[in-house]
Amino acid sequence: MPTAKNQRTCLAIVLAAGKGTRMKSRLPKPLHMIAGRSLLAHVLNAVAIAGARDMAVVTAARHGPVAEEVERIVPEAQIFEQRKRRGTAHAVLAAKCAIKRGADDILVTFGDTPLIRPSALASLRAALADGASVAVLGFTPADPAGYGRLVIVNGELAAIREENDATPEERRIPLCNGGLMALAGDKALDILERIDDANAKREFYLTDAVAIARDMGLKAVAVEAEENDVRGINTKAQLAEAAAALQHRLRAAAMEAGATLVAPETVFLSADTKLGSDVVIEPYVVFGPGVVVEDGAIIRSFSHLEGAHVGKGARVGPYARLRPGADLGQEVHIGNFVEVKAATIEARAKANHLTYIGDARVGAGTNVGAGTITCNYDGVAKHKTDIGEGAFIGSNSALVAPVKVGDGAYVGTGTVVTKDVPAGALAIARTPQTIKEGWAKRLREVKSLGKNSKARKKPKA
Ligand code: UD1
Ligand code: MG
């Protein structure tokens, strides 16, 4: 009895054993980043949304960093090693133990195809639910050269013909193989174990699953996706192209959700960036991972945000840097050349110019003057600065942590605060000013005398 569509179980197998030599990098290909996430993380995220509860990742032998990334993102995923690279079907079979667990649907995805959308994977699963044993993701590229062509007969997928083996007529088929496919769990092993390496490359091709399924009297179908969904990455140039395509999607989604992007093509988002409605993002803003901007906040030009939370109606920038752990309350103002790290800035507090706030709390309504620095690091450890509510920190102050400034306290301009300041008190630590009447005038008179004059000495104070 086939299970109802929404109850079907799903195993996703992610092939990530590629050498990625054309990336010319020490970093394994699946760990390259776009939009703040590794290629592998994008794929794992998509298969999870498409309903895969069981995940298997196939890595090359001794690919520790890839395995670490899998463990970081989906700790329950199982990792399999493909010791020798002998083709895509061979790689899928490395996860044989997982296949044997008997999921209804098996999704085969690639660790270098990060733009795959959950909806495309869901269409593959729907095709299985409708009775197909193999469902292949097809696409119609502007230039089909190099891709396998999908041969459709009577609405079913008859074969995947690699370009080298195709007749001139078959080469005119616009629908190409995107590489990703879904297999019915109860047929998968039977199909996969019949695939051989009788081809020029002596590899076990997953694409052969189509013809084999047909020979077994099973149904194979093609599901069409956008070219971007199946965009594979082999080079740094393709990495940049995929990043650009993803930015396009993310910007469109942010605007759809009600954010105003004044010049969308200059704003760089992370896959997990969350922008509320009526948020305004001015031109040239970069979002690293982990940023949430609440409704009505404005991020002005040339700001960089990462791991930060921006409260409702807050104003950030221009030229601000919010680093991980920056948490801005409602209507906070963080202005130009202000850096905030691991610090909570409570509602309506302001730091408008040239300031570093790290490992700190700034209480509600407090004003932090220009050039204020929290000296959080003593060369060995980090320490906390705690500033209460409604306080006033004069310009060019240094707060040497650990230190506390109480509610409503004042810190005089230029003070180096090394001891706690009680609530409502004034702390001031600077050399008292002296006035020397007429000194400047006397200096100019002396300077204007002849070069060789003996009187060319500075006036006495
Ligand atoms: C594959 C398809 C091709 C399709 C193209 C779309 C096959 C045989 N061919 O070709 O029809 O048009 O994708 O981009 O499937 N991998 C392993 N172990 C292996 C071999 C590959 O893990 O032994 C992984 C790679 O890391 C990669 C994925 O499988 O993530 C696809 O392999 P790749 O060599 O890129 O296949 P293509 O030649 O691009
Ligand atoms: Mg490829």
Side-chain angles (χ1 to χ4, degrees):
M1 267 270 289
T3 2
K5 250 187 215 180
N6 56 359
Q7 287 168 359
R8 292 172 66 94
T9 55
C10 178
L11 160 71
I13 301 176
V14 183
L15 305 189
K19 283 201 221 100
T21 40
R22 289 179 65 203
M23 298 297 277
K24 308 240 169 72
S25 170
R26 295 174 64 168
L27 193 67
K29 184 162 71 171
L31 300 189
H32 282 75
M33 307 279 283
I34 56 172
R37 270 186 194 160
S38 67
L39 304 181
L40 188 58
H42 283 285
V43 178
L44 290 170
N45 189 56
V47 296
I49 297 171
R53 296 287 161 267
D54 196 2
M55 293 184 207
V57 180
V58 180
T59 71
R62 294 184 299 278
H63 249 192
V66 177
E68 276 165 32
E69 174 75 341
V70 175
E71 274 154 28
R72 192 180 66 80
I73 303 161
V74 193
E76 59 278 16
Q78 213 177 344
I79 296 160
F80 296 92
E81 270 191 9
Q82 186 195 22
R83 295 240 160 74
K84 266 181 91 180
R85 198 182 144 90
R86 300 216 52 206
T88 39
H90 181 261
V92 174
L93 277 173
K96 194 170 172 175
C97 297
I99 298 172
K100 278 188 174 164
R101 285 198 285 271
D104 296 312
D105 302 340
I106 294 173
L107 283 174
V108 180
T109 58
F110 296 162
D112 67 353
T113 306
L115 300 195
I116 183 65
R117 277 174 311 157
S119 57
L121 295 171
S123 324
L124 286 178
R125 292 191 64 195
L128 297 186
D130 286 342
S133 292
V134 179
V136 171
L137 212 53
F139 70 113
T140 309
D143 175 15
Y147 290 108
R149 308 299 205 281
L150 301 186
V151 183
I152 309 284
V153 179
N154 298 329
E156 287 189 20
L157 180 60
I160 301 179
R161 195 82 71 225
E162 293 302 317
E163 191 168 64
N164 288 339
D165 309 319
T167 63
E169 199 180 309
E170 283 168 340
R171 283 187 195 189
R172 283 197 290 276
I173 297 174
L175 190 61
C176 293
N177 178 27
L180 314 188
M181 72 167 72
L183 299 159
D186 56 349
K187 310 277 173 8
L189 269 185
D190 223 5
I191 297 171
L192 291 167
E193 284 178 338
R194 288 175 202 223
I195 294 174
D196 62 26
D197 63 350
N199 53 53
K201 281 172 105 180
R202 308 276 321 162
E203 280 193 0
F204 295 86
Y205 287 154
L206 184 60
T207 43
D208 287 351
V210 171
I212 289 170
R214 301 268 304 175
D215 288 347
M216 290 165 69
L218 302 169
K219 188 174 160 188
V221 296
V223 170
E224 196 161 354
E226 278 175 33
E227 183 164 7
N228 273 334
D229 283 60
V230 293
R231 196 187 274 273
I233 293 171
N234 292 317
T235 63
K236 290 277 169 66
Q238 288 168 346
L239 184 73
E241 281 163 19
L246 185 52
Q247 286 303 329
H248 196 75
R249 267 191 204 170
L250 295 170
R251 291 165 188 150
M255 290 187 281
E256 184 64 30
T260 300
L261 272 53
V262 176
E265 65 286 1
T266 67
V267 172
F268 293 85
L269 301 163
S270 273
D272 64 355
T273 304
K274 288 196 180 64
L275 306 180
S277 69
D278 293 319
V279 161
V280 176
I281 311 294
E282 288 189 352
Y284 303 102
V285 173
V286 176
F287 292 89
V291 177
V292 176
V293 181
E294 305 276 7
D295 296 352
I298 174 163
I299 313 294
R300 306 190 65 187
S301 293
F302 308 108
S303 294
H304 188 286
L305 298 82
E306 183 179 354
H309 173 264
V310 178
K312 279 187 187 160
R315 278 200 239 153
V316 174
Y319 297 98
R321 181 172 183 205
L322 301 186
R323 290 173 52 205
D327 184 2
L328 315 189
Q330 285 193 24
E331 290 164 51
V332 158
H333 292 185
I334 295 296
N336 40 266
F337 305 105
V338 174
E339 175 180 343
V340 181
K341 184 218 74 165
T344 302
I345 317 293
E346 293 175 0
R348 298 176 314 284
K350 291 178 187 164
N352 272 326
H353 334 265
L354 304 154
T355 286
Y356 171 64
I357 303 174
D359 301 298
R361 172 184 80 109
V362 177
T366 284
N367 189 87
V368 177
T372 298
I373 306 289
T374 55
C375 310
N376 59 331
Y377 187 49
D378 59 13
V380 180
K382 300 278 169 71
H383 304 282
K384 221 187 141 182
T385 300
D386 187 88
I387 304 171
E389 294 181 10
F392 181 91
I393 312 297
S395 297
N396 200 32
S397 297
L399 302 155
V400 183
V403 74
K404 282 185 185 171
V405 177
D407 290 348
Y410 255 66
V411 170
T413 295
T415 294
V416 178
V417 181
T418 52
K419 293 182 206 130
D420 288 355
V421 184
L426 165 70
I428 186 156
R430 63 187 185 217
T431 321
Q433 181 172 317
T434 33
I435 297 287
K436 308 208 167 168
E437 293 288 352
W439 187 94
K441 192 164 164 262
R442 288 200 297 280
L443 174 77
R444 278 187 216 101
E445 283 165 6
V446 169
K447 289 270 180 191
S448 66
L449 293 174
K451 248 191 172 184
N452 299 321
S453 166
K454 280 181 186 163
R456 228 184 120 259
K457 275 206 261 159
K458 276 193 178 176
K460 286 223 170 81

